[in-house]
């Protein structure tokens, strides 16, 4: 029997017929976080062997092995940042390679460039223009309660029915009712649980 390497050299068409049983499904998802870009890849069976920032295959923080996502912090792993004037903001861009098989390049391997646009915020400028600061110190207001509008409530636990005898102890399995009765001067409310 010939060794496998020799068989592959003798019949290169066999390589074309073999297909690695894992492929990328759909377009990867890009999540723009405040300090990083996260790219998530869906595959048909197992996670990709490696996802890495192009030209940074040997840099640990730029590589995700056997995971379906990679996180790249802004201004690292070859990520570019470009300032925009109109509208005012910054575009961060990173190119990634997704390798499905741990040793070989397959027809399912892909390369993607992800970008996130972060708009500048004018909150501080707007606040300075629209808030007038008073020189007087604000008065502290204490909560006020109206004795007549505040309901007077009672709570009791009753045996068997809503109108049953009040109890302080019960046995497991015995039916009891939690009863709240509130009187606000005009009507009586009853809550039963």
């Amino acid at each position: 029997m010939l060794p496998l390497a020799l068989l592959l050299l003798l019949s290169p068409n066999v390589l074309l017929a073999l297909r690695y049983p894992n492929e990328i499904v759909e377009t990867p998802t890009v999540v723009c976080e405040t300090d990083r870009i996260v790219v998530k890849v869906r595959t048909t069976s197992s996670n990709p062997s490696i996802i890495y920032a192009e030209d940074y295959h040997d840099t640990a923080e730029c590589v995700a092995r056997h995971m379906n996502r990679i996180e790249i912090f802004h201004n690292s792993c070859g990520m570019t940042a470009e300032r925009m004037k109109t509208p005012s903001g910054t575009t961060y861009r990173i190119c990634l390679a997704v390798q499905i098989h741990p040793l070989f390049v397959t027809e399912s391997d892909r390369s993607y460039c992800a970008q996130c646009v972060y708009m500048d915020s004018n909150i501080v400028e707007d606040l300075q223009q629209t808030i007038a600061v008073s020189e007087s110190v604000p008065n502290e207001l204490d909560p006020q309660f109206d004795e007549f509008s505040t309901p007077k409530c009672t709570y009791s636990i009753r045996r068997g029915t809503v109108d049953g005898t009040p109890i302080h102890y019960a046995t497991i399995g015995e039916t009891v009712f939690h009863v709240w009765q509130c009187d606000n001067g005009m009507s009586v409310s009853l809550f039963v649980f």
Side-chain angles (χ1 to χ4, degrees):
M1 180 168 213
L2 295 173
L4 179 61
L6 185 56
L7 285 175
L8 292 176
L9 288 174
L10 293 177
S11 75
N13 294 335
V14 173
L15 283 177
L16 295 175
L18 295 176
R19 187 175 182 133
Y20 192 65
N22 193 14
E23 296 177 350
I24 297 171
V25 180
E26 302 172 359
T27 304
T29 305
V30 178
V31 179
C32 303
E33 294 187 358
T34 55
D35 60 345
R36 71 191 86 184
I37 294 177
V38 179
V39 177
K40 298 176 184 176
V41 179
R42 272 191 58 214
T43 54
T44 55
S45 60
S46 61
N47 289 333
S49 174
I50 184 170
I51 304 172
Y52 61 93
E54 288 185 354
D55 300 326
Y56 288 84
H57 184 273
D58 296 324
T59 307
E61 62 269 10
C62 305
V63 176
R65 295 183 187 282
H66 307 291
M67 297 175 63
N68 70 337
R69 60 184 275 144
I70 187 168
E71 297 181 9
I72 305 288
F73 285 91
H74 291 169
N75 302 314
S76 65
C77 304
M79 184 181 296
T80 59
E82 182 181 333
R83 289 288 303 155
M84 302 178 311
K85 289 185 181 180
T86 306
S88 180
T90 305
T91 300
Y92 288 92
R93 187 170 198 266
I94 185 75
C95 291
L96 303 168
V98 180
Q99 185 176 329
I100 299 295
H101 191 278
L103 302 173
F104 306 109
V105 174
T106 69
E107 65 182 22
S108 297
D109 293 354
R110 296 287 182 266
S111 183
Y112 300 99
C113 290
Q115 67 180 23
C116 290
V117 177
Y118 297 86
M119 306 305 293
D120 288 344
S121 174
N122 296 327
I123 293 174
V124 174
E125 291 172 19
D126 291 343
L127 283 175
Q128 290 175 351
Q129 293 173 2
T130 58
I131 293 179
V133 179
S134 171
E135 291 184 21
S136 64
V137 177
N139 294 326
E140 293 294 327
L141 298 176
D142 293 324
Q144 300 294 318
F145 300 100
D146 182 0
E147 288 183 38
F148 299 108
S149 66
T150 304
K152 308 283 187 278
C153 297
T154 60
Y155 168 75
S156 62
I157 302 174
R158 307 226 172 213
R159 177 174 283 127
T161 67
V162 173
D163 298 319
T165 58
I167 60 170
H168 295 287
Y169 302 98
T171 1
I172 294 176
E174 185 176 2
T175 302
V176 296
F177 288 81
H178 297 266
V179 179
W180 286 266
Q181 283 183 302
C182 297
D183 177 7
N184 64 0
M186 302 176 89
S187 65
V188 175
S189 301
L190 178 66
F191 305 96
V192 180
F193 296 95

